[in-house]
């Protein structure tokens, strides 16, 4: 589905790179996996899935007691078979492993993550696109937007990181029309769940909460929805944060513990409202 030429032979492709949802390994020496708590909010229903290491208390806090049936049917909808060929999967992995190197770096004020934002743009665009075409996140882009993303990814995802065409990206019209803001909950604790949620109300920008990261991504450099819709109480902070374009280095705004708690509580309130108000 990326190159549209080779047979999609790969199985187990992750739409959301796993490293974004697992613990950073140095925290208390643990190497646990499966801490994510994923929600799909659609018009008529809400779905969820949870990693094996999510604490039962956390699950209960957000969705109440889990039935045996729900436990049995618990599957990660963002892992998919036969969507990419091996070559495309490798190209996605090249950008992912380059990006993964940045996550040990944090800061208490706006900080540079250590990569150029053209690489960050490819990385985050690839996640937005994958979540959209997979259709399991609750937000699906228009078909021309999906195609626009597919084309730039197919064009610019390198086979090796040395081959990243930085100048080509900077000169590309589509790449230049896109931008993103990136927030990070830098002070999450071990017991905090890592949410995966594509905000159902936002299009300009698209807003995805992925573990510690809150990505606000725009295909047309538009952030109007931040002035009219609630982004879990942190609209002002997001509005004030740097906008990453293909020029320059990626800048991330850290969210402190107090704001994180308020933010998370707003996320949980929203999910609860959706969960109890809709069919499962
Ligand atoms: Zn391919």
């Amino acid at each position: 589905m990326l190159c549209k030429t080779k047979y999609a032979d790969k199985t187990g492709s992750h739409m959301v790179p796993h490293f974004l949802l697992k613990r950073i390994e140095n925290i208390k020496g643990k190497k646990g996996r499966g801490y994510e708590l994923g929600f799909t909010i659609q018009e008529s229903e809400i779905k969820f899935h949870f990693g094996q290491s999510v604490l039962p208390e956390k699950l209960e806090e957000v969705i109440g007691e889990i039935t045996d049936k729900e436990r049995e049917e618990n599957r990660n909808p963002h892992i998919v078979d036969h969507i990419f060929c091996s070559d495309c999967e490798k190209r996605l992995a090249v950008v992912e492993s380059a990006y993964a190197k940045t996550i040990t770096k944090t800061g208490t004020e706006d900080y540079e993550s250590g990569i150029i934002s053209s690489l960050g743009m490819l990385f985050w665009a690839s996640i937005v696109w994958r979540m959209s075409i997979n259709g399991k996140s609750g937000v699906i882009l228009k078909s021309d937007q999906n195609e626009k993303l597919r084309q730039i990814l197919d064009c610019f995802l390198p086979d090796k990181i040395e081959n990243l065409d930085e100048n080509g990206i900077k000169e590309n019209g589509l790449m230049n029309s896109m931008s993103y803001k990136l927030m990070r909950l830098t002070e999450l604790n071990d017991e905090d769940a890592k949410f995966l949620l594509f905000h159902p109300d936002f299009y300009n920008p698209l807003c995805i909460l992925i573990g510690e990261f809150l990505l606000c991504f725009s295909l047309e450099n538009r952030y109007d929805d931040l002035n009219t819709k609630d982004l879990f109480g942190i609209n002002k902070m997001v509005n004030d944060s740097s906008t990453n374009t293909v020029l320059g280095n990626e800048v991330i705004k850290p969210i402190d513990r107090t704001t994180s708690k308020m933010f998370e509580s707003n996320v949980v309130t929203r999910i609860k409202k959706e969960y109890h108000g809709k069919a499962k």
Side-chain angles (χ1 to χ4, degrees):
M1 273 188 104
L2 176 55
C3 64
K4 283 191 159 177
T5 51
K6 286 175 224 130
Y7 172 65
D9 59 329
K10 276 305 279 185
T11 54
S13 295
H14 286 244
M15 302 299 103
V16 180
H18 190 60
F19 76 87
L20 291 175
L21 292 163
K22 70 176 184 186
R23 294 278 172 238
I24 295 172
E25 289 173 352
N26 298 333
I27 298 175
K28 294 188 184 167
K30 275 195 202 166
K31 284 194 182 179
R33 45 179 294 158
Y35 285 92
E36 84 268 21
L37 196 44
F39 292 90
T40 303
I41 301 176
Q42 286 162 317
E43 227 163 279
S44 60
E45 61 175 354
I46 177 164
K47 292 182 178 152
F48 66 89
H49 74 277
F50 51 93
Q52 292 309 314
S53 307
V54 175
L55 296 173
E57 303 92 88
K58 194 78 214 174
L59 273 175
E60 225 159 279
E61 182 196 328
V62 186
I63 35 190
E65 207 156 333
I66 304 294
T67 63
D68 288 346
K69 185 167 171 275
E70 284 169 330
R71 215 168 262 288
E72 218 166 89
E73 288 172 356
N74 180 38
R75 301 265 183 291
N76 186 335
H78 308 292
I79 300 178
V80 190
D81 294 338
H82 302 297
I83 192 161
F84 302 126
C85 73
S86 298
D87 291 344
C88 288
E89 178 87 4
K90 262 181 224 148
R91 290 197 291 155
L92 288 161
V94 164
V95 172
E96 285 171 17
S97 57
Y99 198 88
K101 291 188 185 124
T102 68
I103 65 164
T104 48
K105 188 178 171 190
T106 62
T108 49
E109 298 191 10
D110 291 20
Y111 68 97
E112 292 194 350
S113 66
I115 54 159
I116 49 173
S117 44
S118 50
L119 179 58
M121 185 82 78
L122 279 181
F123 174 72
W124 294 111
S126 81
I127 296 175
V128 170
W129 178 71
R130 280 181 278 182
M131 289 184 85
S132 172
I133 59 160
N134 185 35
K136 300 282 170 61
S137 62
V139 175
I140 297 175
L141 303 181
K142 294 185 206 127
S143 57
D144 63 313
Q145 293 176 317
N146 279 332
E147 179 56 17
K148 188 170 163 178
L149 287 173
R150 188 197 68 78
Q151 283 176 11
I152 54 143
L153 291 169
D154 191 33
C155 180
F156 291 115
L157 282 175
D159 56 348
K160 287 184 206 138
I161 200 68
E162 309 86 88
N163 294 339
L164 182 75
D165 182 7
E166 226 185 299
N167 291 327
I169 291 174
K170 283 182 185 160
E171 286 160 14
N172 181 277
L174 290 179
M175 288 296 284
N176 268 290
S177 67
M178 305 195 300
S179 64
Y180 65 99
K181 291 170 179 283
L182 193 58
M183 281 21 77
R184 186 170 177 190
L185 307 157
T186 47
E187 297 172 24
L188 285 189
N189 285 347
D190 256 12
E191 66 272 18
D192 295 324
K194 297 210 163 185
F195 287 95
L196 178 56
L197 175 69
F198 210 136
H199 201 305
D201 304 339
F202 280 80
Y203 276 91
N204 296 306
L206 299 155
C207 297
I208 319 178
L209 175 58
I210 309 175
E212 292 178 9
F213 292 95
L214 174 67
L215 171 71
C216 298
F217 188 95
S218 178
L219 280 84
E220 290 148 350
N221 201 17
R222 283 180 54 194
Y223 295 86
D224 324 3
D225 289 350
L226 285 168
N227 300 320
T228 54
K229 297 169 182 173
D230 170 51
L231 187 56
F232 307 121
I234 60 162
N235 294 55
K236 188 178 182 314
M237 180 184 261
V238 175
N239 251 333
D240 290 348
S241 70
S242 310
T243 303
N244 292 293
T245 66
V246 287
L247 312 168
N249 297 323
E250 185 183 74
V251 175
I252 299 178
K253 181 176 268 308
I255 301 180
D256 65 33
R257 182 82 189 150
T258 313
T259 313
S260 285
K261 290 314 272 181
M262 181 273 291
F263 175 80
E264 194 199 281
S265 149
N266 289 338
V267 170
V268 170
T269 304
R270 173 69 194 259
I271 290 169
K272 275 185 175 163
K273 195 175 143 226
E274 298 280 346
Y275 188 74
H276 296 293
K278 284 177 182 172
K280 282 157 269 213

